[in-house]
Amino acid sequence: IDSFVNLFGCDSIIYTELYVFPNKSITLNDSICNNQVPYVWNGQNLSSSGIYTYTRMDMNGCDSVTTLNLVVSDAYSRTLYDTICASALPYLFNNRSLQTSGTYVDSFVSISGCDSTVTLNLLVNPIYRDTVFDTICYNQTYTLPSNLVVNSSATYTSVLRSINNCDSIIYTQLYVHSNKSNTLVDSI
């Protein structure tokens, strides 16, 4: 309130009502995956995490500031390589039962909510199998591929490691000739 003396010598009172409009400030939080960039905000193309501000004048002529806290999360892509022996099948990959060599792709949702891709290159080394047939005489011995020494007719199984460190199975069918003796009778 302010008082003045007017032109005629009378008191004049002027009431002033002052309105102070506050600056408006708004903060927005948003999170996107990196495969969703650019993020368009107030005419700006944003492609990385950060704090961005935009100032404009509101209807009262005051500054209005909007702040954006933007988080750009990675969508992960990973490639795995694995080599196994056929004896280790089935191979479990994201609840899938794999039986053969190949490239397998699966999508997951990361902790940040972004799609993530995992590629598995699987190599399955075979189990090698072979059968050997051999014969020996009754008074001989035979050394199997497993270095076991035998001397009787039978089918033997030798389990060895291949060059790929997988089992190789060799079946040996061994036949032992019996001792035949002939008696000669000579008469004179």
Side-chain angles (χ1 to χ4, degrees):
I1 298 177
D2 219 348
S3 60
F4 298 94
V5 177
N6 69 9
L7 191 60
F8 303 106
C10 299
D11 288 337
S12 295
I13 298 176
I14 299 175
Y15 293 98
T16 305
E17 278 191 47
L18 178 64
Y19 293 101
V20 177
F21 294 105
N23 286 341
K24 292 183 182 174
S25 178
I26 299 171
T27 300
L28 304 172
N29 297 305
D30 206 354
S31 203
I32 62 170
C33 299
N34 65 354
N35 61 352
Q36 296 172 309
V37 295
Y39 183 90
V40 180
W41 183 66
N42 291 313
Q44 300 177 62
N45 289 330
L46 308 177
S47 59
S48 60
S49 296
I51 299 172
Y52 301 93
T53 58
Y54 176 72
T55 304
R56 64 181 172 85
M57 199 167 286
D58 69 10
M59 65 183 192
N60 298 315
C62 299
D63 286 344
S64 176
V65 178
T66 304
T67 302
L68 171 66
N69 294 319
L70 180 64
V71 176
V72 179
S73 298
D74 288 332
Y76 297 98
S77 179
R78 187 166 182 196
T79 301
L80 305 173
Y81 298 88
D82 206 355
T83 301
I84 63 169
C85 299
S87 59
L89 291 173
Y91 186 95
L92 294 179
F93 176 60
N94 193 29
N95 295 324
R96 290 171 53 193
S97 180
L98 307 179
Q99 298 289 338
T100 59
S101 295
T103 300
Y104 302 92
V105 180
D106 252 328
S107 294
F108 301 89
V109 177
S110 70
I111 195 166
S112 59
C114 298
D115 287 339
S116 296
T117 304
V118 176
T119 302
L120 170 66
N121 291 303
L122 180 64
L123 175 63
V124 179
N125 287 318
I127 296 173
Y128 296 101
R129 297 178 193 278
D130 198 6
T131 302
V132 174
F133 300 93
D134 215 342
T135 305
I136 61 172
C137 294
Y138 77 96
N139 59 350
Q140 293 178 322
T141 60
Y142 184 87
T143 303
L144 297 170
S146 63
N147 289 325
L148 179 67
V149 177
V150 295
N151 64 358
S152 59
S153 294
T155 299
Y156 299 95
T157 302
S158 299
V159 180
L160 307 171
R161 291 281 175 193
S162 70
I163 194 168
N164 297 322
N165 205 28
C166 295
D167 289 344
S168 292
I169 301 172
I170 300 174
Y171 300 102
T172 303
Q173 290 186 351
L174 184 63
Y175 178 74
V176 177
H177 286 287
S178 61
N179 184 13
K180 293 186 179 181
S181 59
N182 291 329
T183 305
L184 295 174
V185 178
D186 195 9
S187 44
I188 305 193

